[in-house]
Amino acid sequence: MISSTGSVYYDGSPTYGGFSDVTVADRALCSWFPRQPFSDGAAPLLCAGIILYSPLQHFGLNQPGMHIGVVGLGVLAHVTVFAKAFGAKVTVISTSPTKKKEAIEDLGSDAFLVSHEPDQMQAAMGTMDGIIDRVSAVHPVLPLLGLLKSHGKLVMVGGPIEPLELPVFPLLMGRKI
């Protein structure tokens, strides 16, 4: 398999993912969009849409009243409106306390957690039905597992190049996936 980002084609040239000038895809998986008036805004919405909307649907995190965490306030977190549109409570989880205003006031998230603040993380333990983790850097997963309810789902959509440490015992004890 050749990954669309961070990989090498058979001819030795690098793959550029979303930064490519062209791509080859099965026409059954493509949608046609007019070049105008919204071509500049279509690509980010489609990319974020498939990365966030699809896991919400696939893992059953699309029910009203669910509590969904979104790890990392980047481009993908800007479409937390998908979870909000399903009637979910959305909490953004970030390492940067300076992003709280943006998460709540600009993006409409219901709550904000600073992942390295033990009191905040402790208060949120066992409250989330699912977490969409979009961080592409190595980061601790264990604190996120603690935020999940029993049967909670941690969905990784970021792709760190280095392996993450995944403690199995908390998954087993909470029947988490």
Side-chain angles (χ1 to χ4, degrees):
M1 182 178 102
I2 299 174
S3 177
S4 63
T5 304
S7 191
V8 178
Y9 291 112
Y10 297 115
D11 67 1
S13 61
T15 61
Y16 294 107
F19 302 102
S20 296
D21 292 327
V22 296
T23 189
V24 177
D26 184 325
R27 70 184 298 159
L29 303 174
C30 297
S31 298
W32 291 99
F33 288 93
R35 289 192 179 273
Q36 296 299 329
F38 68 98
S39 63
D40 290 346
L45 181 58
L46 290 172
C47 176
I50 197 66
I51 292 172
L52 286 177
Y53 179 83
S54 177
L56 290 170
Q57 288 284 97
H58 181 79
F59 292 103
L61 300 173
N62 57 351
Q63 304 303 312
M66 288 192 145
H67 185 180
I68 308 299
V70 178
V71 182
L73 184 63
V75 174
L76 297 180
H78 288 74
V79 288
T80 55
V81 291
F82 284 132
K84 294 286 290 179
F86 290 130
K89 175 183 177 183
V90 176
T91 297
V92 171
I93 305 160
S94 177
T95 58
S96 176
T98 61
K99 295 183 179 179
K100 181 176 182 176
K101 180 181 180 293
E102 180 184 5
I104 293 175
E105 294 178 19
D106 298 341
L107 302 177
S109 297
D110 299 292
F112 184 87
L113 291 175
V114 178
S115 60
H116 58 79
E117 291 290 336
D119 292 342
Q120 289 182 27
M121 296 296 282
Q122 183 64 37
M125 294 285 279
T127 63
M128 297 183 188
D129 298 289
I131 297 174
I132 307 290
D133 185 341
R134 49 132 325 264
V135 176
S136 294
V138 174
H139 61 286
V141 176
L142 182 60
L144 301 176
L145 295 175
L147 298 174
L148 292 170
K149 295 177 180 176
S150 182
H151 300 276
K153 297 169 179 125
L154 175 62
V155 182
M156 306 297 289
V157 296
I161 294 173
E162 297 293 321
L164 295 174
E165 183 178 321
L166 181 62
V168 176
F169 196 69
L171 295 172
L172 297 172
M173 294 305 297
R175 300 186 76 178
K176 300 171 185 178
I177 60 169

Short mmCIF file of all heavy atoms in Angstrom, two decimals, residues 115-139:
data_model
loop_
_atom_site.label_atom_id
_atom_site.label_comp_id
_atom_site.label_asym_id
_atom_site.label_seq_id
_atom_site.Cartn_x
_atom_site.Cartn_y
_atom_site.Cartn_z
N SER A 115 -5.02 19.36 28.70
CA SER A 115 -4.66 17.96 28.94
C SER A 115 -3.57 17.75 29.98
O SER A 115 -3.45 16.67 30.53
CB SER A 115 -4.25 17.29 27.63
OG SER A 115 -3.14 17.96 27.06
N HIS A 116 -2.79 18.77 30.27
CA HIS A 116 -1.75 18.60 31.29
C HIS A 116 -2.13 19.23 32.63
O HIS A 116 -1.28 19.40 33.50
CB HIS A 116 -0.39 19.13 30.78
CG HIS A 116 -0.42 20.57 30.37
ND1 HIS A 116 -0.37 21.61 31.27
CD2 HIS A 116 -0.49 21.14 29.15
CE1 HIS A 116 -0.42 22.76 30.62
NE2 HIS A 116 -0.50 22.50 29.33
N GLU A 117 -3.41 19.55 32.80
CA GLU A 117 -3.92 20.07 34.08
C GLU A 117 -4.65 18.94 34.80
O GLU A 117 -5.78 18.59 34.46
CB GLU A 117 -4.87 21.24 33.84
CG GLU A 117 -4.21 22.49 33.32
CD GLU A 117 -3.32 23.16 34.36
OE1 GLU A 117 -3.53 22.97 35.58
OE2 GLU A 117 -2.39 23.88 33.94
N PRO A 118 -4.01 18.32 35.80
CA PRO A 118 -4.57 17.15 36.47
C PRO A 118 -5.97 17.36 37.04
O PRO A 118 -6.82 16.48 36.96
CB PRO A 118 -3.57 16.83 37.58
CG PRO A 118 -2.31 17.53 37.20
CD PRO A 118 -2.70 18.69 36.35
N ASP A 119 -6.24 18.54 37.61
CA ASP A 119 -7.55 18.78 38.21
C ASP A 119 -8.66 18.77 37.15
O ASP A 119 -9.73 18.21 37.36
CB ASP A 119 -7.57 20.11 38.97
CG ASP A 119 -6.70 20.09 40.21
OD1 ASP A 119 -6.35 18.98 40.69
OD2 ASP A 119 -6.35 21.19 40.70
N GLN A 120 -8.39 19.39 36.01
CA GLN A 120 -9.38 19.41 34.93
C GLN A 120 -9.63 18.00 34.39
O GLN A 120 -10.77 17.59 34.17
CB GLN A 120 -8.91 20.31 33.78
CG GLN A 120 -8.93 21.77 34.10
CD GLN A 120 -8.51 22.62 32.91
OE1 GLN A 120 -8.67 22.23 31.75
NE2 GLN A 120 -7.97 23.79 33.19
N MET A 121 -8.55 17.26 34.17
CA MET A 121 -8.67 15.90 33.64
C MET A 121 -9.39 14.99 34.64
O MET A 121 -10.24 14.19 34.24
CB MET A 121 -7.30 15.35 33.27
CG MET A 121 -6.60 16.11 32.15
SD MET A 121 -7.45 16.01 30.57
CE MET A 121 -6.96 14.38 30.04
N GLN A 122 -9.08 15.13 35.91
CA GLN A 122 -9.73 14.31 36.94
C GLN A 122 -11.23 14.58 36.99
O GLN A 122 -12.03 13.67 37.10
CB GLN A 122 -9.09 14.57 38.31
CG GLN A 122 -9.65 13.72 39.43
CD GLN A 122 -9.38 12.24 39.23
OE1 GLN A 122 -8.34 11.84 38.75
NE2 GLN A 122 -10.35 11.42 39.60
N ALA A 123 -11.59 15.85 36.89
CA ALA A 123 -13.01 16.22 36.93
C ALA A 123 -13.80 15.66 35.75
O ALA A 123 -15.01 15.44 35.85
CB ALA A 123 -13.15 17.75 36.98
N ALA A 124 -13.12 15.41 34.64
CA ALA A 124 -13.78 14.92 33.43
C ALA A 124 -13.68 13.40 33.26
O ALA A 124 -14.18 12.85 32.28
CB ALA A 124 -13.20 15.62 32.20
N MET A 125 -13.04 12.71 34.21
CA MET A 125 -12.86 11.26 34.10
C MET A 125 -14.20 10.54 33.92
O MET A 125 -15.17 10.83 34.62
CB MET A 125 -12.17 10.71 35.35
CG MET A 125 -10.75 11.19 35.53
SD MET A 125 -9.61 10.39 34.42
CE MET A 125 -9.36 8.88 35.28
N GLY A 126 -14.23 9.62 32.96
CA GLY A 126 -15.40 8.78 32.75
C GLY A 126 -16.64 9.49 32.24
O GLY A 126 -17.75 9.00 32.42
N THR A 127 -16.48 10.64 31.58
CA THR A 127 -17.65 11.41 31.14
C THR A 127 -17.91 11.37 29.64
O THR A 127 -18.97 11.80 29.20
CB THR A 127 -17.50 12.90 31.54
OG1 THR A 127 -16.38 13.47 30.88
CG2 THR A 127 -17.36 13.07 33.06
N MET A 128 -16.97 10.86 28.86
CA MET A 128 -17.11 10.96 27.40
C MET A 128 -17.46 9.62 26.76
O MET A 128 -16.92 8.58 27.11
CB MET A 128 -15.81 11.50 26.79
CG MET A 128 -15.51 12.90 27.27
SD MET A 128 -14.03 13.55 26.48
CE MET A 128 -13.84 15.05 27.44
N ASP A 129 -18.37 9.69 25.81
CA ASP A 129 -18.76 8.50 25.05
C ASP A 129 -17.74 8.17 23.98
O ASP A 129 -17.56 7.01 23.61
CB ASP A 129 -20.13 8.72 24.39
CG ASP A 129 -21.22 8.95 25.42
OD1 ASP A 129 -21.57 7.99 26.11
OD2 ASP A 129 -21.67 10.11 25.54
N GLY A 130 -17.09 9.20 23.46
CA GLY A 130 -16.10 8.99 22.42
C GLY A 130 -15.15 10.16 22.35
O GLY A 130 -15.48 11.27 22.76
N ILE A 131 -13.96 9.88 21.83
CA ILE A 131 -12.96 10.92 21.62
C ILE A 131 -12.39 10.75 20.22
O ILE A 131 -12.00 9.65 19.83
CB ILE A 131 -11.81 10.81 22.66
CG1 ILE A 131 -12.36 11.05 24.07
CG2 ILE A 131 -10.69 11.80 22.33
CD1 ILE A 131 -11.32 10.83 25.17
N ILE A 132 -12.37 11.84 19.46
CA ILE A 132 -11.72 11.87 18.17
C ILE A 132 -10.36 12.52 18.39
O ILE A 132 -10.28 13.70 18.74
CB ILE A 132 -12.53 12.68 17.13
CG1 ILE A 132 -13.98 12.20 17.03
CG2 ILE A 132 -11.82 12.67 15.78
CD1 ILE A 132 -14.16 10.86 16.41
N ASP A 133 -9.30 11.75 18.23
CA ASP A 133 -7.94 12.24 18.46
C ASP A 133 -7.30 12.52 17.11
O ASP A 133 -6.98 11.62 16.37
CB ASP A 133 -7.14 11.19 19.23
CG ASP A 133 -5.75 11.66 19.62
OD1 ASP A 133 -5.24 12.63 19.00
OD2 ASP A 133 -5.15 11.04 20.51
N ARG A 134 -7.12 13.80 16.80
CA ARG A 134 -6.60 14.19 15.50
C ARG A 134 -5.16 14.66 15.56
O ARG A 134 -4.65 15.22 14.59
CB ARG A 134 -7.51 15.25 14.87
CG ARG A 134 -7.83 16.39 15.82
CD ARG A 134 -7.67 17.79 15.33
NE ARG A 134 -6.62 18.06 14.43
CZ ARG A 134 -5.42 18.54 14.75
NH1 ARG A 134 -5.10 18.76 16.00
NH2 ARG A 134 -4.54 18.82 13.83
N VAL A 135 -4.47 14.44 16.68
CA VAL A 135 -3.10 14.90 16.84
C VAL A 135 -2.14 13.98 16.08
O VAL A 135 -2.19 12.76 16.24
CB VAL A 135 -2.71 14.98 18.33
CG1 VAL A 135 -1.26 15.36 18.51
CG2 VAL A 135 -3.62 15.97 19.05
N SER A 136 -1.27 14.57 15.29
CA SER A 136 -0.34 13.79 14.48
C SER A 136 1.06 13.74 15.07
O SER A 136 1.99 13.32 14.41
CB SER A 136 -0.26 14.39 13.06
OG SER A 136 -1.50 14.21 12.42
N ALA A 137 1.21 14.16 16.31
CA ALA A 137 2.49 14.08 17.01
C ALA A 137 2.38 13.04 18.12
O ALA A 137 1.26 12.70 18.55
CB ALA A 137 2.84 15.45 17.61
N VAL A 138 3.50 12.54 18.58
CA VAL A 138 3.49 11.59 19.68
C VAL A 138 2.95 12.30 20.92
O VAL A 138 3.36 13.42 21.24
CB VAL A 138 4.91 11.04 19.94
CG1 VAL A 138 4.93 10.17 21.17
CG2 VAL A 138 5.39 10.26 18.73
N HIS A 139 2.00 11.67 21.58
CA HIS A 139 1.38 12.24 22.78
C HIS A 139 0.85 11.11 23.64
O HIS A 139 0.60 10.01 23.16
CB HIS A 139 0.27 13.22 22.40
CG HIS A 139 -0.85 12.60 21.61
ND1 HIS A 139 -0.71 12.25 20.29
CD2 HIS A 139 -2.11 12.26 21.96
CE1 HIS A 139 -1.85 11.72 19.86
NE2 HIS A 139 -2.71 11.71 20.85
#
